[in-house]
Amino acid sequence: MKKSATLSLSAALILAGCASMPTPGQLTFDTLSVEKRVLLTADTNSPAYDMKLNVKYVKEGSEDVRKVVNDAITAKLFNTHNVDIHMAVDSFIKEKTNSYINDMLPLYKEDMRSIDKRPIYEHEVSIKTNTKDGMEGIVTYFIDMYTFEGGAHGYNQLLTLNFDKSTGKTVTLDDVLVPGYKVKLNDLLQKALMEKADCKDINELHDKGYLFSMEMYPSNNFVLAQDGITFIYNPYEIAPYALGRIELTVSNADLEQLRKKKGD
């Protein structure tokens, strides 16, 4: 059977990490880096899908902790569970490759003579990850993801996970804040948003495009830092795309009555 497209692949796996044994209460991360370019047709001037992934994962340490952390990472990034990080990345790339060829090739054959439509077929995905120590015993995992798969513009989002260094457990707001915290926290977040947007009340926020069809809520993407909690809202979540990503920080002082005490 004659192939309808030719794939030009350039893939490399680079494992760059620490050879030393992790100390107790620490998560030791390594990095899996993959680059792949998929040509839509056999033409050397063909549109292509460029994929660049740099994914940190826990390579050494307790098997239980390693599994818990890596499973949370693959779930957040690729919506997969109980799959080795290498297999998860490989599956993600194969899925993107197949959908690009199967979905875009028939359309491109109709549009290939139209120069103006070529950008629609130049797809891209970039995933960069990093880690940073936060509040005591916590490390925050950052996922900076950019995708363009046609449309008016690409989409950039910043996702986070907060891990307990000793257990690998993903720490949620319910773990650090007292029951019933949401009403007060929403008030604090709306106040922070008004200060950032230079608005006096909710009506002014609406006039500028914020919270136009929703109420304030704590984002699932947040950073448990030493000086407070920063909540990350990606484009479209609480404001139009043009207003970009919004980060709101609630200080430890404001959170004092909402934080769980040790032993709670």
Side-chain angles (χ1 to χ4, degrees):
M1 180 177 179
K2 186 177 179 181
K3 295 183 179 180
S4 60
T6 300
L7 305 185
S8 175
L9 311 181
S10 174
L13 299 183
I14 305 172
L15 301 180
C18 302
S20 58
M21 292 299 291
T23 57
Q26 293 292 326
L27 295 176
T28 302
F29 288 88
D30 208 334
T31 302
L32 170 62
S33 297
V34 180
E35 293 187 11
K36 183 172 181 178
R37 181 174 176 83
V38 180
L39 296 181
L40 190 55
T41 73
D43 188 348
T44 56
N45 193 37
S46 167
Y49 198 151
D50 287 310
M51 291 175 261
K52 297 181 180 180
L53 288 75
N54 287 273
V55 181
K56 285 184 174 293
Y57 67 102
V58 177
K59 183 181 180 181
E60 299 177 347
S62 163
E63 181 179 353
D64 290 341
V65 172
R66 187 170 68 247
K67 184 180 184 304
V68 169
V69 173
N70 291 340
D71 191 52
I73 292 171
T74 57
K76 189 84 168 182
L77 275 171
F78 311 120
N79 196 29
T80 60
H81 293 276
N82 299 316
V83 177
D84 173 78
I85 189 74
H86 298 78
M87 293 179 62
V89 169
D90 184 59
S91 177
F92 174 82
I93 289 176
K94 286 180 179 178
E95 180 182 347
K96 290 294 184 182
T97 297
N98 291 336
S99 62
Y100 179 60
I101 298 298
N102 295 334
D103 297 342
M104 294 295 104
L105 184 58
L107 299 175
Y108 180 64
K109 288 179 177 179
E110 299 292 329
D111 293 337
M112 60 191 311
R113 288 192 171 92
S114 176
I115 297 178
D116 293 340
K117 293 184 178 181
R118 181 186 172 89
I120 298 174
Y121 300 96
E122 296 284 3
H123 290 194
E124 178 183 355
V125 60
S126 172
I127 297 176
K128 301 175 183 178
T129 62
N130 203 358
T131 59
K132 183 178 180 181
D133 284 344
M135 60 183 289
E136 183 179 358
I138 302 295
V139 59
T140 301
Y141 186 95
F142 295 88
I143 302 167
D144 189 354
M145 180 183 297
Y146 173 80
T147 57
F148 177 77
E149 297 180 342
H153 51 71
Y155 183 59
N156 187 263
Q157 55 184 330
L158 182 62
L159 311 176
T160 66
L161 291 164
N162 296 274
F163 294 118
D164 183 305
K165 292 181 180 181
S166 61
T167 66
K169 179 181 181 295
T170 300
V171 182
T172 68
L173 290 177
D174 290 345
D175 294 325
V176 297
L177 301 180
V178 299
Y181 65 84
K182 289 186 179 180
V183 173
K184 178 61 177 177
L185 180 58
N186 288 344
D187 290 340
L188 293 171
L189 287 169
Q190 186 165 304
K191 179 182 178 182
L193 180 59
M194 287 191 293
E195 291 176 355
K196 180 178 284 289
D198 192 24
C199 295
K200 296 179 181 179
D201 54 35
I202 188 65
N203 292 324
E204 287 192 13
L205 283 175
H206 290 166
D207 290 341
K208 291 186 177 183
Y210 297 96
L211 302 175
F212 189 76
S213 60
M214 69 197 70
E215 295 182 351
M216 195 74 241
Y217 66 93
S219 172
N220 289 328
N221 295 300
F222 57 90
V223 180
L224 296 174
Q226 294 182 357
D227 59 350
I229 304 178
T230 296
F231 294 84
I232 299 165
Y233 299 88
N234 289 300
Y236 296 122
E237 291 185 345
I238 60 172
Y241 177 85
L243 292 176
R245 186 171 69 228
I246 300 163
E247 298 184 10
L248 304 176
T249 298
V250 183
S251 69
N252 284 334
D254 287 335
L255 289 169
E256 184 176 2
Q257 300 301 318
L258 298 181
R259 280 192 181 277
K260 286 183 176 178
K261 309 302 180 184
K262 287 186 177 182
D264 287 353

